[in-house]
Amino acid sequence: MVRLSLLLRTLDVAKTKRSKVRKNRFIDSLRIHVKAGAGGMGLPKFGGMGGKGGDVYIEAKENIELKYIKDKWPNKRFKAGIGQNSRVYRILGEPGEDLTIPAPVGLTVISEHGRVLADLNKDGDRVLVAAGGVGGGPQNQFSGQKGQTQSLTLDLKLIADVGLVGFPNAGKSTLLKALSRASPKIANYPFTTITPNLGVMMYNDLRQISVADLPGLIEGAHRNYGMGHKFLKHLVRTRLLMFVVDIGGFRLKPQSPFRSALETIFLLNQELELYKEDLTVKPALLAITKMDTKDAEKKFQKLKEEINYYKEYPEELPDELKSRHFVGFDDVIPICATKAVNIVHLQQRIREIIDFHVEIKTSQKDGQCTEIAIPKNEQESIQLF
């Protein structure tokens, strides 16, 4: 009897923990239904006009999450106010009340047919998603018209300056904690990060650069394996990709093939290319982690040699590692996040590289052809292809 009671209590605790996880789960996609208000009826005898139905808008707001929308409107149905009928004492009916749905910055609004209606990338951006019906009048036999109605998908892509790219357990969460003030969950097993974590690097001159630690990729992520598209889509709006690679290599589980640091780099490149080719032309930085492990320095020197060799002879790459386009790293930096080795240097290089590429884009936009020199680095730089 005591054992049964203990078992039931354990099951209750587990159920409570699961419900808390579900409740606090990060949401980056939400399907909703919107309906604009119908127009009011006109008054034929006096030529009265019915009020126009209310419109439905979606507006980007700072510090709003999709979870807020789901919690506040659990049925995910939104309806604007209806226009008032024309009356003897009010010939022009009052218009229906508009409805504005607050949404996160970085939201893409997609119609039920898959058409992108708007990208809401900054605070205050708004889009009309359902227009209210016209009020009744002479042009429509004084009958108020129905408002527009449609189902929408709200798809969130995080906006961060830097996106960390790597296989599970590469040390991304540890690195995020070292670089910024974030406190991600850290453990020595794959898939510790199952929701995005955001951190902010603060510099002495008060400059801020945001960093996103996203769930680890696995081979086949472009086909939606693992976190798949749920992860990869968040890289689209980042300004700099930072590959985070364990110098000791990677193995997802005992029966999975072991991947060296070199293979990891090329496989990550492959996953990005197969998902969205544009990702391979983004500014990028390579951080080699866990440099405090045995023979790490020797492995690092070998890795640089191998990268330079395959840069010169890409046809020598095994077929499973080949890509049409390769990321060009502006720098490669060996680090140990747990001991803060090279972390300050990495922070500075992130800033320099972001500013360098912003300067290039500005020059191209202005039609200038002046040559801009990338800031000198204390470490030897590696350019991949």
Side-chain angles (χ1 to χ4, degrees):
M1 189 69 180
V2 174
R3 286 183 179 179
L4 179 60
S5 174
L6 182 61
L7 176 62
L8 291 173
R9 196 178 310 145
T10 303
L11 290 174
D12 284 342
V13 170
K15 184 178 178 182
T16 302
K17 285 183 177 179
R18 284 197 302 271
S19 66
K20 283 183 178 180
V21 169
R22 284 195 295 269
K23 185 177 180 182
N24 295 322
R25 189 173 59 189
F26 175 79
I27 297 173
D28 58 6
S29 186
L30 189 65
R31 191 168 174 80
I32 65 172
H33 184 80
V34 295
K35 184 176 182 180
M41 300 296 290
L43 190 62
K45 185 175 180 179
F46 298 100
M49 301 279 291
K52 176 186 174 298
D55 299 326
V56 181
Y57 296 88
I58 296 178
E59 183 173 353
K61 295 285 186 185
E62 294 286 358
N63 302 319
I64 289 286
E65 297 181 3
L66 281 180
K67 187 175 180 298
Y68 167 81
I69 300 175
K70 186 177 180 182
D71 290 346
K72 187 168 182 179
W73 294 276
N75 62 0
K76 294 172 283 186
R77 303 183 74 85
F78 301 86
K79 185 178 179 181
I82 60 173
Q84 297 300 305
N85 297 335
S86 172
R87 304 179 291 282
V88 173
Y89 54 86
R90 182 157 184 147
I91 295 299
L92 298 178
E94 301 96 323
E97 187 176 353
D98 293 340
L99 174 65
T100 298
I101 305 168
V105 173
L107 194 75
T108 298
V109 182
I110 304 169
S111 75
E112 55 193 303
H113 304 297
R115 186 167 66 92
V116 174
L117 301 180
D119 287 314
L120 309 180
N121 291 331
K122 60 180 186 295
D123 185 59
D125 283 355
R126 79 193 311 237
V127 59
L128 173 68
V129 291
V134 176
Q139 77 282 5
N140 56 19
Q141 289 76 50
F142 296 94
S143 296
Q145 305 299 296
K146 290 182 177 179
Q148 292 180 338
T149 178
Q150 64 175 325
S151 294
L152 302 169
T153 298
L154 308 183
D155 193 44
L156 178 64
K157 296 183 180 73
L158 294 176
I159 296 180
D161 295 307
V162 183
L164 304 185
V165 182
F167 284 151
N169 209 33
K172 297 186 302 299
S173 297
T174 307
L175 177 56
L176 178 70
K177 186 176 181 180
L179 287 171
S180 69
R181 296 171 293 179
S183 300
K185 181 181 178 183
I186 298 170
N188 190 28
Y189 55 85
F191 298 113
T192 303
T193 302
I194 56 174
T195 61
N197 290 307
L198 288 175
V200 177
M201 293 187 295
M202 179 74 77
Y203 294 84
N204 291 335
D205 60 357
L206 303 184
R207 167 83 176 273
Q208 295 184 23
I209 293 179
S210 56
V211 184
D213 168 29
L214 301 154
L217 285 173
I218 63 171
E219 293 176 51
H222 67 280
R223 295 193 297 271
N224 220 13
Y225 293 168
M227 302 300 284
H229 293 185
K230 191 175 177 67
F231 161 82
L232 287 166
K233 69 176 185 178
H234 292 297
L235 294 175
V236 173
R237 286 178 173 153
T238 56
R239 300 166 69 185
L240 173 71
L241 301 181
M242 190 192 302
F243 279 40
V244 182
V245 174
D246 186 338
I247 189 61
F250 170 72
R251 174 177 276 142
L252 181 62
K253 45 192 176 183
Q255 60 269 38
S256 300
F258 172 79
R259 300 300 190 183
S260 67
L262 181 75
E263 290 173 318
T264 299
I265 294 168
F266 286 112
L267 287 170
L268 288 172
N269 185 101
Q270 201 175 79
E271 292 300 331
L272 296 186
E273 180 191 55
L274 291 171
Y275 173 70
K276 192 175 180 66
E277 206 168 273
D278 290 352
L279 289 174
T280 60
V281 299
K282 274 184 173 287
L285 177 64
L286 175 59
I288 303 297
T289 65
K290 305 184 183 179
M291 288 298 295
D292 59 332
T293 54
K294 185 180 178 181
D295 296 328
E297 187 59 40
K298 188 187 299 183
K299 292 176 183 176
F300 181 66
Q301 294 304 321
K302 182 184 177 184
L303 175 64
K304 290 197 294 182
E305 291 170 8
E306 289 174 327
I307 290 176
N308 285 327
Y309 175 79
Y310 287 118
K311 174 183 175 181
E312 190 171 352
Y313 305 105
E315 69 279 0
E316 296 291 327
L317 270 172
D319 289 342
E320 65 173 0
L321 301 180
K322 287 180 179 176
S323 296
R324 289 173 55 198
H325 301 282
F326 291 91
V327 170
F329 294 114
D330 287 301
D331 203 353
V332 57
I333 300 177
I335 62 169
C336 175
T338 55
K339 297 180 180 177
V341 176
N342 256 359
I343 295 300
V344 173
H345 175 65
L346 178 60
Q347 289 173 325
Q348 187 59 33
R349 291 298 293 141
I350 289 170
R351 176 174 182 166
E352 289 173 352
I353 292 168
I354 288 176
D355 291 347
F356 166 69
H357 285 282
V358 168
E359 193 174 348
I360 284 182
K361 282 186 177 180
T362 303
S363 298
Q364 291 173 343
K365 188 176 180 182
D366 294 341
Q368 300 173 5
C369 298
T370 53
E371 185 176 336
I372 302 170
I374 192 165
K376 294 289 184 184
N377 179 21
E378 297 168 10
Q379 302 286 338
E380 181 183 354
S381 179
I382 289 181
Q383 289 286 329
L384 259 191
F385 299 91

